[in-house]
Amino acid sequence: MKKLTVLFLMMLPLATVAQTAYEMCEKGIECYDKHQYDEAEKWFLQGADRGDARSMYHLGKLYEKVHFDVNKAFSWYMKSANKGYAPGLCQAGNFYKDGRGCEKSYSKAIEYYTKAADMGDAGGLYYLGNMYYRGYGVTLDYNKAHQLFLEAAAQNSLNAQYYLGEMYARGQGVKKDYAKAIEWFEKAIAHNDSFATSMAKGRIADIRKKMAEGK
């Protein structure tokens, strides 16, 4: 019994550290949302020091969106990605795709998107689908893009829903179907994102005009 008690006490600090890292990240997010960026950074750094991949990801976001330091942002996203955190993998892929804080590499971008997609992450599925949709680093493949967008859209990905609308409107990899295009555009509008709503409403108007003209 004494040995079990000692073993429990030895394990307790590890559980406490893991819980504390999560809580530190949560406090950092709370400060970030209140635009208290210095405080947010302190909390994220403490979480990152304890190996928390989510804290590392949010440090990347802080340096990208607030401090506008793409080199540090990329460094933190990579640390998060190397721990297998899906949003970190996606951002590492985005930075490689655009050549921000690193040398531009579609192959590297695809590598990180694929890792996230293999985890079933909606972002990874969408970003990988976008590479096939545009033919970036791979042979353009609308069928593959359509399948990946569908998987992402099933998780309510706004971008995937919008591009499915485009594919049905244009007949890319699927039979042209204006009704389905409108359906997907309306799903994108339901997210209440001002930019996506404006784009999707514009596309629906275009489609209805074509339908009226019998095109």
Side-chain angles (χ1 to χ4, degrees):
M1 184 67 180
K2 186 175 180 181
K3 288 182 178 180
L4 288 174
T5 301
V6 172
L7 180 61
F8 173 77
L9 291 173
M10 288 174 66
M11 293 173 64
L12 185 59
L14 294 175
T16 303
V17 166
Q19 183 181 19
T20 302
Y22 176 84
E23 290 175 349
M24 286 175 175
C25 186
E26 286 294 301
K27 288 179 179 178
I29 293 170
E30 183 180 339
C31 291
Y32 185 95
D33 290 342
K34 293 177 180 177
H35 307 292
Q36 299 169 352
Y37 299 124
D38 288 343
E39 282 299 308
E41 185 170 359
K42 289 176 185 177
W43 286 115
F44 292 145
L45 282 169
Q46 289 183 60
D49 285 344
R50 287 159 175 76
D52 181 51
R54 196 166 64 120
S55 295
M56 296 171 187
Y57 165 81
H58 282 285
L59 279 166
K61 182 179 176 181
L62 184 72
Y63 278 104
E64 179 188 6
K65 305 291 186 182
V66 179
H67 299 317
F68 305 108
D69 187 331
V70 294
N71 293 315
K72 285 189 176 180
F74 176 68
S75 176
W76 281 113
Y77 283 142
M78 283 300 298
K79 288 178 181 179
S80 177
N82 289 336
K83 284 185 167 289
Y85 185 57
L89 288 164
C90 289
Q91 282 302 93
N94 286 339
F95 272 54
Y96 271 117
K97 179 176 73 70
D98 298 330
R100 289 185 291 159
C102 59
E103 185 176 347
K104 187 172 184 175
S105 172
Y106 286 152
S107 62
K108 280 285 187 182
I110 290 168
E111 176 186 337
Y112 285 101
Y113 292 151
T114 300
K115 287 180 180 179
D118 287 345
M119 296 166 64
D121 179 72
L125 291 163
Y126 162 71
Y127 289 125
L128 185 59
N130 189 52
M131 299 298 276
Y132 281 99
Y133 182 78
R134 300 182 184 281
Y136 288 167
V138 291
T139 301
L140 188 148
D141 188 336
Y142 287 139
N143 292 322
K144 182 70 172 177
H146 179 258
Q147 182 57 43
L148 289 163
F149 287 156
L150 278 176
E151 291 181 45
Q155 297 183 53
N156 208 31
S157 165
L158 183 162
N159 289 328
Q161 290 166 349
Y162 179 87
Y163 275 98
L164 283 168
E166 287 289 359
M167 296 189 84
Y168 279 104
R170 300 171 185 269
Q172 296 171 320
V174 293
K175 183 179 179 180
K176 186 181 288 187
D177 188 326
Y178 287 149
K180 282 189 176 180
I182 290 173
E183 179 183 338
W184 283 112
F185 284 135
E186 287 178 340
K187 288 179 184 292
I189 290 169
H191 288 263
N192 293 317
D193 177 90
S194 58
F195 179 75
T197 295
S198 176
M199 292 288 290
K201 283 185 175 180
R203 294 297 289 124
I204 289 173
D206 290 341
I207 289 169
R208 286 182 172 153
K209 182 179 178 181
K210 289 180 180 179
M211 291 172 72
E213 294 171 350
K215 294 182 179 179

